[in-house]
Each structure stands twice: as structure tokens, then as C-alpha cells.
């Protein structure tokens, strides 16, 4: 029997920190366990007394790995490190059972376990309340370090080379204390050495599938970004549910929608090969952003024998390819500045007219350029409206301000002028590009079709974009979509009812309820923030949580520097509590220009930090804190998330209450903040100027059960 391998992030962190020669030995040990994990005849394998499913395996004389064996044919890799480190983990096991009850360790480590977060949190409270005894404190300085410090580790931690020799020479904790290191260098090394979770902490971590033991080395060398989540029973059902769709899977952040979509690809390929005499069906996996496409492609590399069987791309890249190929040249796409120029041209033209045209211009005087552009992009073009009659009849779902027939006629006249302006300048808007691609596919100018089309994060596509997905699929029954309307920060005027009617997914919609990413406290605070304003998709807010933790902390600062100093201390505390390093931190800003101040402060503190600009790849394993905009973080997740600048005019950004689109823009800013909060897995920290707080802060102060407001220092 060959066992399935799964692993915890703690094991990955430990494996990546091993000396290279030990890493190779550990890899061979894992391969041996996969064939026979309970070989008690081996002198290297030992079964533990206090948990019937926990075992250790000796890698070298000084290193061991900790794992569990489950009746379903699964080996769970839990931790790896020196004998001393693994012994410290094991020593806590009797006290865990004494405090919580027999069998709890096996229960919470079972990958199919229904053990509640409350039980794990109970142990965490017991553990954190226990002070270190004087004897333990004295002995800590004399003991050998739990891990060997190597130059490989120091490079991965971003330690300046000038300190390498002194650190490599450290053998005991006292050596480290006496090395005369700068505070931040000491903190990074000390956190790596001693900030390792115990079994109950590890139980809260997700399980990931290890398809090939060699992937461990690829991950440690930086050639592999991450691993696929192990599906639970609810998710597994949706992988093969209604393979002849169309099918829609909805779920909140952290529910594993994207993971289900990836496994769905494999299920479709296997099913198609069985029913097509071994022929491989053509599959398209598409989504809105390049970042998500890149991550999906890496994960499919692990899931499939040959990921080249799947076309992984953004929908707009495919539309661009279709139009470029059919027309024999690349289209010139309109930028936002082109839209503004076109609007200026329209207003100037109408000012020079009299009668009806001049009156129409007056009807739109209270509509900002931004509102008009959104109306044209998301309602008129996005829904494929071709005539004034269609526009007069359409339901503008999600648009905060109703437009009477006279206003719609005025908007339509402006749209016709803008469309003519683009044609005269040989420009295409993105929706024009999508529409043209649909026309070419429909007419047969583009004959390439897919047997299955998987659309991840479908809420961020316009109906015209979804229409292209339908036409690219040889049969609409091959369509599979995942979505969470509460996370849509791009889409405006989006109606799932309209999508249901067009795609015929009524009766084929399922909702994922379990949240694997975020603690209950963070998720419920974010949900309540949206629900209180009646924004978002309430269907996906009814969730079950795997993780628990403290309430999100909110600090009112006297100045920008005061806020940064508080954040610096809080991040250190959070990293110690969840036993992570700076690579677990992201600081999300509402505007690009605000990132410079954050970067300057943390760089000055010698923190390993990098600013991520739009469309830049994100290396989640480089050990550095990330600074990026909230928009850029969509689809990503981090153990610790900080959101500074919760100030008036920053978040939400400056909005004119007299603007007809005010409520809609405010709702969009709410969803943006919701996306930022739900990137957090374990800790969420917010900062605002207490002399100029955001209106969002004032709303959150009315929800003391969900947000922990910290008194100013």
C-alpha cells in the first residue's frame, strides 16, 4: 500500500530550515514512510505513548520528524527538527490530554476531524497562561539551540552577511544572547529558532497535499510557490458534482472555492478520458487577474501529470488573442485617459449645439466622469446593450442612483459620441474587445472551442465576459463557475439573477460554508461590517470556522509616526504569538502613494520588507514583509494583515455626497475594505488618525463585540 502524503505549514518551515545534507536525508525518510510508515522493526521509527496515531522517524543522529498515520491511508507530516526540538513538542502531550481529555490529540490531528476551534482555543488559553518556571528559564540559556544555524538559513532570513560568522558559531542560547547582535537581527534569528508551534497550534493549520516528495526540495529551493489544500468531504462532493453543468459554486473568502475549481479540472480530464476512449478533453481555466492565473498555473503543475493539457489564462488575454488572430494585428486598447478625452469631446460637442442636445447635456451635469465611465463600461457595454430601447428597459442592478428616461437618453447620446470618438481614433474599450471576440466565435471566424470552461472568481467578470466564456465552451453544460459577490471590487451593475437566467444554473448552485483561511473573529467582524450597511452576498456569510483567535485590534494614533510605532510593536507580538516571521506580514494601503511612508519607516527599523507594485509577482516564501495596495492583494492570503490610514479621505477615499453615484462608490469602498480584512488568516491590525477618523471607524465603534479598540498610548 502506498500512503497519501499530506503536510502542515510547520513541517514545510522546518524542512526549509534544515541544513542541505539533512534535507536530503529527510526527503529519503519521507519516501520510505510513504511505503511503510509503521515499520516498528526499523530502529528509526517509534510510536508515541500519548497519542496512538503519532510517530517519530529518525532522520540523522540529531534530527527527527514527527508524523501521524490515519486509517484512511494518509500520512500527515507534522514537524521536523532536532531531537531537542521534537522532544519539547512531545513533552507537552501528556499535559494536553490531562487538561482537555484523552484522545483529543488524535482527534484534532485527524485531517477529516470535526473537532471544533473552541476545543483548540481552550488548549491555547491553558498554554499561554502557563508561566515559565525559574528552573526552565535558567536551563534555557545552557541548552543547545533547537536548530543548527547555517548560512543557508541566514540568507533565507535576510540576515546581513556581516553577522553570519558570529551566528554560525552560536551553539547555545547563551551564545546567541552574547553575540552582540542588533535588535532586529536578534529578533529574526530568535523567532526562527524558538517560535515553533506545539501540536495544538499545528492542528489549526490547513493540510496540504504532497503529490511527490521531491516537491519538498523544490519548495525549499524556491522553485515551487505552494501546495494544494486537502479537500474536506463537502468540497470533495463539489469536485465531481454535476460534471455535466453548467454549475455555480459560491462561498465566502477562505472557503476553498478556487481549490475546488482546480480539483474540478483533474476530475473533468479523468472523466473525459474515460468516456472518450482515452482522448484528452480540452479545458480552459480562466479568471480575472494575472496574479490568480499565475498561482493557479503553479498549483495545476502539481495536480496534473501534464498541466499543458489545460489552457490557463485571463479571459481578456484570450479575447485579445482571438481578435489579434482574426484581424491579423493587435488592437489598440483605450486607457482611462482616452475615456476622459472622449467625454470631454462629447461635452464640448453638445455645448456647441442648441435644442435637444444642449438639454441632454444639462441632464448629465451632476454625473461625474467616473460615474459616466462606469455606466458605459459596466452597464451598457458590459451587458452588451446595442440600442437606446434596450438601455431604457435594462435593470441597472447595483447602481445606486436611478436614471429616469430623460437621463438615460442623455447618457446614451454621450455613449454614442464616445463610441464614435474611439472608432475615429482606432481604439477599442475592453468590453468592445470582448464583444468583438464573441462575434468572431459566434460567426465561426474563430473555431477553437473547449470541452470545459472553468471560471474562477466569476463575480469580477461583466456579463459580456461571461458571454464569451459560454461561447468558448463547445456546450454550455461544460461550464463551471466559482463566485463570491461580496468580494467584487471591480464589478458594478452585476446581477446574479441575470447570470442565472443566461447560464441556466438555477438548481445547480451550491454554497461552501466552511472557512479554512480566517479566524471566526476576523471573518465575523468583516461580515458584520458589510451586513450592517446591507452590502454583500448574505448567502455566503453563514459560515463554519476551523480557526479561532483574538478580535481584530484597532488603534487610534496621534500621528502617523505614533501609528507606525504601535504597529511595529504589535507585529512583533503577533509574530511571537503565532510563531511566524516577517514573511507572514502584509501591510495594505488604500492608495499607492501611501506605501512610501510605510516602506521608509520599516526599512529604517531594519525590517526585511518589500513594496509590491501593481501586476508585480508576489513571492510568498521570501521571508519579507509585503507592502501593497488593497486592490493588489485580492486573491492572496497572509497570517498577519495590517491596514493603516483608516482616515477621513483615505478609506473611503474622498467622495462627494452630492454625486449621484455616491452610495454606489461608498459600497465599492466597503467591499474593498472587506477584501483587505479577509486576506488575514490569524491577526488583523487597523490604524486610524484619532483626530481625523474614517467614517468606517465610527461605524465599527458601534460594534464593540467585533472590534477591539485599543486606547491611545
Amino acid at each position: 500500500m502506498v500512503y497519501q502524503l499530506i503536510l502542515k505549514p510547520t513541517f514545510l518551515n522546518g524542512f526549509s530550515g534544515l541544513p542541505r545534507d539533512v534535507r536530503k536525508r529527510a526527503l529519503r525518510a519521507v519516501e520510505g514512510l510513504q511505503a511503510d510508515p509503521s515499520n516498528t522493526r526499523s530502529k528509526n521509527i517509534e510510536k508515541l505513548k500519548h497519542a496512538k496515531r503519532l510517530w517519530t522517524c529518525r532522520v540523522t543522529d540529531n534530527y527527527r520528524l514527527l508524523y501521524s498515520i490515519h486509517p484512511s491511508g494518509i500520512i500527515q507530516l507534522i514537524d521536523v527538527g532536532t531531537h531537542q526540538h521534537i522532544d519539547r513538542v512531545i513533552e507537552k502531550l501528556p499535559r494536553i490530554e490531562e487538561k482537555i481529555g484523552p484522545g483529543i490529540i488524535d482527534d484534532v490531528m485527524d485531517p477529516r476531524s470535526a473537532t471544533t476551534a473552541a476545543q483548540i482555543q481552550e488548549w491555547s488559553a491553558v498554554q499561554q497562561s502557563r508561566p515559565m518556571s525559574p528552573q526552565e528559564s535558567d536551563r534555557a540559556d545552557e541548552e543547545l539551540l533547537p536548530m543548527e544555524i547555517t548560512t543557508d538559513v541566514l540568507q533565507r532570513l535576510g540576515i546581513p552577511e556581516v553577522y553570519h560568522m558570529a551566528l554560525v558559531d552560536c551553539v547555545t542560547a547563551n551564545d546567541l544572547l552574547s553575540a552582540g547582535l542588533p535588535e532586529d537581527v536578534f529578533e529574526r534569528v530568535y523567532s526562527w529558532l524558538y517560535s515553533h508551534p506545539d501540536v495544538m497550534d499545528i492542528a489549526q493549520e490547513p493540510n496540504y497535499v504532497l503529490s511527490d516528495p521531491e516537491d519538498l526540495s523544490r519548495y525549499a529551493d524556491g522553485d515551487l510557490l505552494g501546495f494544494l489544500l486537502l479537500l474536506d468531504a463537502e468540497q470533495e462532493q463539489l469536485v465531481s458534482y454535476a460534471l455535466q453543468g453548467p454549475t455555480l459554486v459560491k462561498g465566502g473568502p477562505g472557503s476553498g472555492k478556487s481549490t475546488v475549481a482546480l480539483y474540478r479540472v483533474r476530475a473533468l480530464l479523468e472523466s473525459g478520458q474515460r468516456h472518450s476512449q482515452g482522448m484528452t478533453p480540452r479545458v480552459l481555466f480562466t479568471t480575472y487577474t494575472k496574479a490568480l492565473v499565475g498561482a493557479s498555473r503553479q498549483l495545476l503543475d502539481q495536480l496534473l501529470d501534464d498541466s499543458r493539457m489545460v489552457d490557463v489564462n485571463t479571459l481578456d488575454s484570450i479575447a485579445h488573442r482571438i481578435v489579434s488572430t482574426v484581424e491579423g494585428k493587435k488592437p489598440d486598447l483605450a486607457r482611462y485617459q482616452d475615456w476622459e478625452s472622449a467625454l470631454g469631446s462629447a461635452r464640448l460637442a453638445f455645448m456647441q449645439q442648441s435644442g435637444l442636445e444642449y438639454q441632454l447635456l444639462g441632464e448629465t451635469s451632476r454625473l461625474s466622469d467616473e460615474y459616466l465611465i462606469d455606466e458605459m463600461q459596466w452597464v451598457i457595454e458590459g451587458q452588451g446593450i446595442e440600442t437606446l430601447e434596450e438601455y431604457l428597459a435594462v435593470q441597472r442592478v447595483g447602481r445606486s442612483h436611478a436614471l429616469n428616461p430623460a437621463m438615460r437618453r442623455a447618457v446614451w447620446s454621450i455613449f454614442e459620441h464616445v463610441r464614435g470618438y474611439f472608432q475615429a481614433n482606432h481604439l477599442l474599450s475592453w468590453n468592445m474587445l470582448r464583444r468583438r471576440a464573441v462575434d468572431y466565435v459566434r460567426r465561426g471566424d474563430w473555431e477553437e472551442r473547449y470541452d470545459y470552461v472553468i471560471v474562477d472568481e466569476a463575480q469580477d467578470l461583466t456579463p459580456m465576459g461571461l458571454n464569451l466564456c459560454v461561447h468558448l465552451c463547445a456546450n454550455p453544460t461544460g461550464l463551471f463557475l466559482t463566485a463570491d459577490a461580496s468580494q467584487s471590487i471591480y464589478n458594478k451593475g452585476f446581477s446574479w439573477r441575470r447570470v442565472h437566467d443566461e447560464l441556466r444554473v438555477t438548481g445547480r448552485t451550491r454554497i461552501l460554508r466552511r472557512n479554512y483561511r480566517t479566524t471566526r473573529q476576523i471573518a465575523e467582524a468583516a461580515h458584520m461590517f458589510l451586513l450592517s450597511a446591507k452590502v454583500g452576498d448574505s448567502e455566503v456569510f453563514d459560515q463554519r470556522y476551523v480557526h479561532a483567535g483574538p478580535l481584530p485590534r484597532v488603534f487610534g494614533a496621534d500621528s502617523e509616526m505614533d501609528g507606525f510605532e504601535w504597529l511595529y510593536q504589535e507585529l512583533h507580538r503577533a509574530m511571537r504569538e503565532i510563531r511566524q516571521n516577517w514573511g507572514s506580514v502584509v501591510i495594505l494601503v488604500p492608495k499607492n502613494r501611501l506605501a512610501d511612508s510605510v516602506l521608509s519607516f520599516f526599512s529604517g527599523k531594519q525590517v526585511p520588507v518589500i513594496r509590491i507594485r501593481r501586476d508585480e509577482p508576489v513571492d510568498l516564501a521570501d521571508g519579507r514583509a509585503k507592502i501593497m495596495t488593497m486592490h493588489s492583494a485580492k486573491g492572496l492570503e497572509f497570517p498577519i494583515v495590517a491596514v493603516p490610514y483608516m482616515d477621513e479621505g483615505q478609506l473611503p477615499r474622498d467622495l462627494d455626497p452630492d454625486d449621484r453615484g455616491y452610495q454606489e462608490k461608498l459600497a465599492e469602498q466597503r467591499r474593498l475594505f472587506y477584501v483587505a480584512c479577509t486576506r488575514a488568516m490569524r491577526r488583523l491590525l487597523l490604524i486610524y488618525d484619532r483626530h481625523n477618523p474614517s467614517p468606517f471607524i465610527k461605524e465599527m465603534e458601534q460594534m464593540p463585540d467585533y472590534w477591539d479598540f485599543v486606547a491611545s498610548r
Side-chain angles (χ1 to χ4, degrees):
M1 175 183 181
V2 177
Y3 284 74
Q4 179 184 3
L5 294 170
I6 63 174
L7 48 80
K8 294 285 191 178
T10 289
F11 181 89
L12 277 177
N13 292 337
F15 183 86
S16 299
L18 296 176
R20 286 190 177 272
D21 59 328
V22 178
R23 197 187 298 166
K24 293 178 181 178
R25 298 282 294 273
L27 183 60
R28 302 287 85 81
V30 170
E31 291 173 342
L33 292 178
Q34 191 172 18
D36 189 359
S38 57
N39 182 9
T40 53
R41 297 186 303 276
S42 170
K43 62 180 181 180
N44 294 329
I45 292 178
E46 179 183 359
K47 185 176 182 296
L48 300 188
K49 296 179 181 178
H50 295 285
K52 62 182 180 182
R53 295 180 184 166
L54 288 185
W55 298 68
T56 63
C57 175
R58 187 169 68 91
V59 176
T60 69
D61 288 341
N62 195 38
Y63 284 88
R64 281 189 295 172
L65 60 84
L66 178 66
Y67 65 100
S68 60
I69 307 173
H70 301 276
S72 54
I74 291 176
I75 298 173
Q76 184 183 56
L77 303 173
I78 298 171
D79 202 355
V80 62
T82 62
H83 276 257
Q84 185 181 38
H85 167 66
I86 297 297
D87 283 343
R88 285 178 177 173
V89 175
I90 295 171
E91 284 171 0
K92 299 176 182 178
L93 300 182
R95 194 160 55 84
I96 295 175
E97 296 221 330
E98 176 187 341
K99 292 291 183 182
I100 300 185
I104 188 68
I105 299 165
D106 286 325
D107 285 346
V108 299
M109 295 310 300
D110 191 328
R112 311 293 184 185
S113 172
T115 303
T116 65
Q119 289 175 285
I120 299 173
Q121 193 174 22
E122 181 183 347
W123 161 249
S124 297
V126 170
Q127 175 68 6
Q128 291 175 12
S129 65
R130 174 181 176 267
M132 181 180 287
S133 68
Q135 293 81 5
E136 288 176 315
S137 181
D138 291 341
R139 193 173 70 244
D141 287 349
E142 301 168 4
E143 288 182 345
L144 295 175
L145 293 173
M147 303 288 282
E148 179 184 355
I149 301 177
T150 67
T151 54
D152 283 346
V153 167
L154 296 177
Q155 288 171 356
R156 187 168 62 86
L157 294 176
I159 303 299
E161 191 172 344
V162 68
Y163 304 112
H164 285 197
M165 184 177 296
L167 284 165
V168 169
D169 288 342
C170 291
V171 177
T172 67
N174 194 50
D175 291 341
L176 185 63
L177 291 168
S178 305
L181 302 170
E183 178 185 351
D184 191 67
V185 171
F186 176 84
E187 182 75 29
R188 265 183 275 170
V189 176
Y190 187 87
S191 295
W192 175 76
L193 286 168
Y194 292 100
S195 297
H196 290 283
D198 56 44
V199 168
M200 296 303 283
D201 293 320
I202 298 172
Q204 294 193 68
E205 298 176 350
N207 292 295
Y208 292 99
V209 176
L210 179 60
S211 301
D212 185 343
E214 289 291 341
D215 284 343
L216 287 171
S217 291
R218 292 176 59 205
Y219 177 85
D221 292 337
D223 296 333
L224 185 66
L225 179 61
F227 294 84
L228 274 167
L229 191 72
L230 180 71
L231 298 182
D232 67 11
E234 179 186 36
Q235 294 167 327
E236 280 183 342
Q237 290 176 356
L238 296 181
V239 168
S240 56
Y241 166 72
L243 286 180
Q244 293 300 310
T247 304
L248 171 64
V249 172
K250 297 171 67 177
S255 60
K257 302 182 299 298
S258 297
T259 303
V260 168
L262 293 169
Y263 278 98
R264 177 88 168 191
V265 171
R266 184 174 67 179
L268 290 169
L269 288 172
E270 292 174 349
S271 175
Q273 289 171 337
R274 286 196 302 269
H275 293 92
S276 304
Q277 291 75 47
M279 294 180 64
T280 301
R282 299 203 66 231
V283 178
L284 169 64
F285 187 98
T286 186
T287 187
Y288 185 84
T289 67
K290 292 180 181 178
L292 289 179
V293 161
S296 301
R297 186 178 287 115
Q298 288 182 322
L299 294 173
L300 282 171
D301 283 341
Q302 300 172 62
L303 192 61
L304 306 175
D305 293 333
D306 185 359
S307 63
R308 291 174 298 179
M309 296 184 295
V310 183
D311 187 355
V312 185
N313 226 323
T314 65
L315 189 64
D316 285 340
S317 294
I318 294 169
H320 195 277
R321 185 170 71 200
I322 292 172
V323 173
S324 299
T325 302
V326 173
E327 298 183 355
K329 62 178 181 179
K330 293 183 179 180
D332 290 326
L333 292 162
R335 301 164 299 172
Y336 193 82
Q337 299 94 305
D338 296 317
W339 280 93
E340 291 180 318
S341 297
L343 280 178
S345 173
R347 288 198 166 103
L348 180 61
F350 289 167
M351 286 179 65
Q352 295 171 350
Q353 301 294 323
S354 59
L356 179 59
E357 279 75 14
Y358 189 80
Q359 292 177 21
L360 290 175
L361 178 63
E363 292 286 348
T364 63
S365 60
R366 290 185 61 195
L367 299 179
S368 66
D369 282 2
E370 183 180 6
Y371 189 89
L372 283 169
I373 292 172
D374 284 347
E375 183 76 9
M376 289 183 278
Q377 285 184 331
W378 294 96
V379 178
I380 298 177
E381 290 188 334
Q383 298 194 36
I385 294 172
E386 295 183 338
T387 66
L388 172 60
E389 288 69 27
E390 285 183 83
Y391 183 49
L392 290 171
V394 73
Q395 292 185 349
R396 299 167 58 256
V397 176
R399 299 294 275 167
S400 58
H401 185 78
L403 298 182
N404 60 34
M407 287 288 289
R408 293 200 190 196
R409 287 189 175 90
V411 171
W412 185 260
S413 294
I414 291 177
F415 170 68
E416 286 188 317
H417 185 98
V418 169
R419 184 165 54 181
Y421 179 93
F422 284 172
Q423 290 173 348
N425 289 277
H426 308 290
L427 295 172
L428 284 181
S429 69
W430 281 103
N431 275 305
M432 289 177 183
L433 179 77
R434 296 162 192 150
R435 179 58 179 264
R436 192 170 291 187
V438 168
D439 290 341
Y440 288 147
V441 173
R442 184 189 293 137
R443 293 202 313 246
D445 296 326
W446 178 268
E447 297 180 353
E448 187 175 336
R449 296 289 195 283
Y450 298 92
D451 299 294
Y452 301 102
V453 175
I454 313 294
V455 185
D456 194 22
E457 302 287 358
Q459 74 276 355
D460 284 330
L461 296 178
T462 62
M464 180 54 65
L466 290 170
N467 197 15
L468 177 57
C469 293
V470 174
H471 283 88
L472 285 171
C473 202
N475 189 310
T477 61
L479 201 63
F480 179 86
L481 307 99
T482 75
D484 174 9
S486 301
Q487 288 195 75
S488 178
I489 57 179
Y490 303 105
N491 208 335
K492 303 170 182 69
F494 190 85
S495 168
W496 275 114
R497 184 180 302 276
R498 177 180 175 90
V499 173
H500 279 209
D501 292 339
E502 289 183 350
L503 302 181
R504 299 182 180 88
V505 296
T506 302
R508 292 177 175 270
T509 299
R510 294 295 182 268
I511 300 176
L512 289 169
R513 301 288 186 188
R514 183 171 293 181
N515 186 319
Y516 287 90
R517 174 196 298 157
T518 307
T519 65
R520 175 178 59 82
Q521 289 78 7
I522 293 173
E524 287 185 348
H527 292 169
M528 185 55 62
F529 177 77
L530 283 190
L531 283 174
S532 65
K534 299 181 180 179
V535 176
D537 187 348
S538 59
E539 276 190 307
V540 302
F541 287 166
D542 179 17
Q543 292 188 318
R544 300 186 297 274
Y545 300 97
V546 175
H547 309 297
L551 296 177
R553 305 199 84 199
V554 189
F555 177 69
D558 283 319
S559 65
E560 181 182 66
M561 188 59 62
D562 182 41
F564 287 166
E565 289 288 354
W566 177 84
L567 180 58
Y568 179 71
Q569 298 300 326
E570 283 297 304
L571 289 174
H572 275 280
R573 184 171 80 162
M575 288 186 291
R576 285 194 298 269
E577 289 177 349
I578 67 172
R579 299 170 174 88
Q580 294 283 340
N581 61 20
W582 282 106
S584 67
V585 173
V586 67
I587 303 173
L588 301 178
V589 294
K591 299 175 182 176
N592 249 318
R593 60 179 177 80
L594 299 174
D596 292 335
S597 296
V598 181
L599 180 63
S600 175
F601 174 84
F602 282 92
S603 297
K605 290 284 190 179
Q606 304 302 309
V607 170
V609 62
I610 183 173
R611 178 181 176 183
I612 306 295
R613 300 180 186 275
R614 186 173 183 177
D615 292 333
E616 282 187 349
V618 181
D619 185 352
L620 300 177
D622 67 0
R624 291 183 287 183
K626 313 294 187 294
I627 304 171
M628 62 178 70
T629 64
M630 297 176 181
H631 284 87
S632 300
K634 195 172 190 297
L636 303 175
E637 58 185 44
F638 296 86
I640 304 170
V641 170
V643 182
Y645 299 110
M646 294 284 296
D647 307 335
E648 180 86 44
Q650 303 290 7
L651 188 70
R653 58 188 175 84
D654 279 322
L655 298 173
D656 182 1
D658 294 328
D659 186 341
R660 289 177 183 266
Y662 172 75
Q663 290 299 330
E664 182 181 339
K665 293 174 184 174
L666 185 61
E668 180 183 343
Q669 291 284 290
R670 287 184 188 279
R671 287 193 293 269
L672 178 61
F673 176 56
Y674 174 82
V675 168
C677 291
T678 53
R679 300 310 92 202
M681 300 165 68
R682 298 295 178 271
R683 298 292 187 272
L684 175 60
L685 306 169
L686 311 178
I687 305 170
Y688 68 95
D689 181 349
R690 69 186 187 92
H691 306 292
N692 189 35
S694 161
F696 290 170
I697 292 293
K698 297 173 183 177
E699 293 178 25
M700 292 155 59
E701 287 176 333
Q702 306 305 311
M703 309 173 196
D705 293 338
Y706 295 93
W707 305 93
D708 177 16
F709 278 83
V710 182
S712 298
R713 295 182 297 175

